[in-house]
């Protein structure tokens, strides 16, 4: 009887801890949301330019020379249909990472308000999750604009199905989490540019956004499949155009595991941050 009471008390304590962690995370997120909500149009439009240029240059320009069954699978009517899910993945990655990184850098290096955040009696993991959630919202704002463009161009409402949206959220979580870690690590805005040039830009072109990774040589496949954006692009493309029976379900747990791993790393960084 005593052991049963102890077990019940332990479960209740763990549930209480989880509730506190969630409440603290939402508190941190709300602080960023108060700033974001007055810039919704700006944030949504800022990451839309690059995908639109890619859609015009590759999808409508170069894409006219790429025929289904030759450069891409015969499951698509044209190259535009093939790259649009990749553009959603690309835009969500870019804004989730960049917006989160620059937000933290601004607080750390310029306004000098980050020290106040570190002094709050909040679990380090909650600090990471709160900042990550703000990055996810930034990514969803921009990717939502690209999704709207995709629906208008193709008339394909699968861009709004729950599986597609789940993958977008997971992709935003991965790169917002990475943005938190980079934002905590850099010492100047120039360093942010280095991370962007050596990680984000190469991943934009190598993350299966413009090509089918299955057509690559084995050596290049290894590199491409090490990139989280590859799994987002593959999953989004399948969710938008392929039947559910052909969906690559492995993409969801891979992105989820990466997001969790980055959260634990980010929580550790917050716990040992000294600004």
């Amino acid at each position: 009887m005593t052991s049963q009471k102890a077990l019940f008390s332990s479960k209740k304590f763990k549930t209480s801890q989880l509730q506190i962690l969630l409440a603290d995370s939402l508190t941190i997120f709300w602080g960023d949301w108060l700033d974001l909500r007055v810039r919704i149009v700006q944030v949504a439009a800022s990451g839309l330019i690059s995908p639109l240029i890619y859609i015009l240059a590759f999808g409508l320009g170069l894409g006219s020379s790429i025929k289904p069954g030759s450069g891409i699978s015969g499951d698509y009517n044209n190259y535009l249909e093939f790259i649009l899910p990749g553009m959603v993945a690309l835009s969500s990655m870019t804004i989730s990472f960049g917006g989160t990184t620059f937000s933290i850098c601004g607080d750390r290096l310029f306004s000098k308000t980050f020290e106040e955040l570190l002094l709050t009696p909040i679990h380090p993991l909650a600090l990471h999750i709160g900042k990550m959630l703000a990055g996810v919202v930034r990514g969803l704002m921009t990717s939502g604009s690209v999704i709207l463009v995709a629906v208008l161009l193709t008339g394909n409402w699968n861009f709004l199905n729950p599986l597609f949206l789940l993958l977008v959220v997971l992709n935003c979580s991965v790169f917002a989490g990475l943005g938190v870690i980079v934002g905590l690590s850099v010492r100047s805005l120039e360093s942010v540019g280095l991370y962007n040039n050596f990680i984000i830009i190469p991943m934009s072109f190598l993350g299966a956004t413009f090509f089918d990774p299955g057509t690559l040589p084995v050596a290049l496949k290894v590199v491409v499949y090490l990139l989280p954006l590859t799994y987002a692009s593959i999953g989004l493309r399948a969710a938008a155009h392929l039947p559910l029976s052909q969906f690559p379900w492995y993409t969801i747990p891979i992105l989820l595991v990466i997001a969790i791993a980055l959260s634990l790393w980010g929580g550790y960084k917050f716990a040992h941050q000294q600004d």
Side-chain angles (χ1 to χ4, degrees):
M1 186 69 177
T2 304
S3 62
Q4 288 180 345
K5 287 182 178 179
L7 180 62
F8 178 77
S9 177
S10 176
K11 288 182 178 179
K12 187 175 181 180
F13 179 72
K14 290 180 180 178
T15 302
S16 176
Q17 281 187 320
L18 185 61
Q19 290 174 340
I20 293 173
L21 182 68
L22 179 60
D24 288 345
S25 300
L26 292 176
T27 300
I28 299 299
F29 162 73
W30 186 253
D32 280 14
W33 168 248
L34 293 177
D35 176 56
L36 276 174
R37 66 180 182 177
V38 298
R39 299 186 296 111
I40 291 178
V41 175
Q42 178 185 341
V43 173
S46 61
L48 187 60
I49 303 302
S50 292
L52 282 179
I53 292 174
Y54 291 139
I55 289 170
L56 291 173
F58 292 97
L60 300 176
L62 179 64
S64 60
S65 62
I66 301 176
K67 304 300 180 185
S70 56
I72 58 174
S73 169
D75 295 321
Y76 309 94
N77 294 321
N78 51 58
Y79 187 60
L80 178 62
E81 283 190 358
F82 180 83
I83 69 167
L84 280 173
M87 294 302 97
V88 175
L90 177 62
S91 63
S92 60
M93 173 191 73
T94 304
I95 298 302
S96 294
F97 174 82
T100 305
T101 303
F102 281 107
S103 173
I104 293 177
C105 283
D107 292 343
R108 286 182 57 231
L109 305 176
F110 294 100
S111 64
K112 301 296 184 180
T113 58
F114 197 73
E115 294 88 345
E116 299 175 6
L117 182 67
L118 295 177
L119 292 174
T120 55
I122 290 179
H123 195 283
L125 183 58
L127 293 173
H128 174 89
I129 293 174
K131 290 294 184 180
M132 183 193 73
L133 288 175
V136 170
V137 171
R138 289 186 182 93
L140 290 176
M141 287 178 184
T142 300
S143 58
S145 302
V146 181
I147 289 172
L148 178 60
V149 171
V151 172
L152 292 175
L153 289 176
T154 65
N156 183 358
W157 290 96
N158 283 332
F159 282 94
L160 298 175
N161 73 51
L163 193 56
F164 189 94
L165 297 178
L166 172 62
L167 283 163
V168 174
V169 170
L170 287 175
N171 191 50
C172 290
S173 300
V174 168
F175 289 101
L178 183 61
V180 172
I181 293 169
V182 171
L184 293 174
S185 303
V186 297
R187 296 300 177 186
S188 66
L189 289 181
E190 289 79 5
S191 300
V192 177
L194 288 176
Y195 280 97
N196 192 65
N197 289 335
F198 285 97
I199 297 178
I200 300 303
I201 292 179
M203 201 180 305
S204 300
F205 291 94
L206 298 178
T209 50
F210 297 100
F211 58 87
D212 183 357
T215 62
L216 296 175
V218 176
L220 287 178
K221 277 185 182 179
V222 173
V223 175
V224 169
Y225 279 102
L226 287 175
L227 306 176
L229 186 65
T230 298
Y231 299 97
S233 298
I234 291 173
L236 291 173
R237 196 168 287 131
H241 297 294
L242 299 181
L244 195 61
S245 59
Q246 298 181 30
F247 182 79
W249 292 100
Y250 62 86
T251 57
I252 293 177
I254 287 176
L255 290 173
L256 182 60
V257 167
I258 295 173
I260 292 173
L262 289 172
S263 295
L264 295 176
W265 186 7
Y268 175 84
K269 291 282 291 182
F270 267 109
H272 295 81
Q273 188 72 18
Q274 293 181 355
D275 276 329

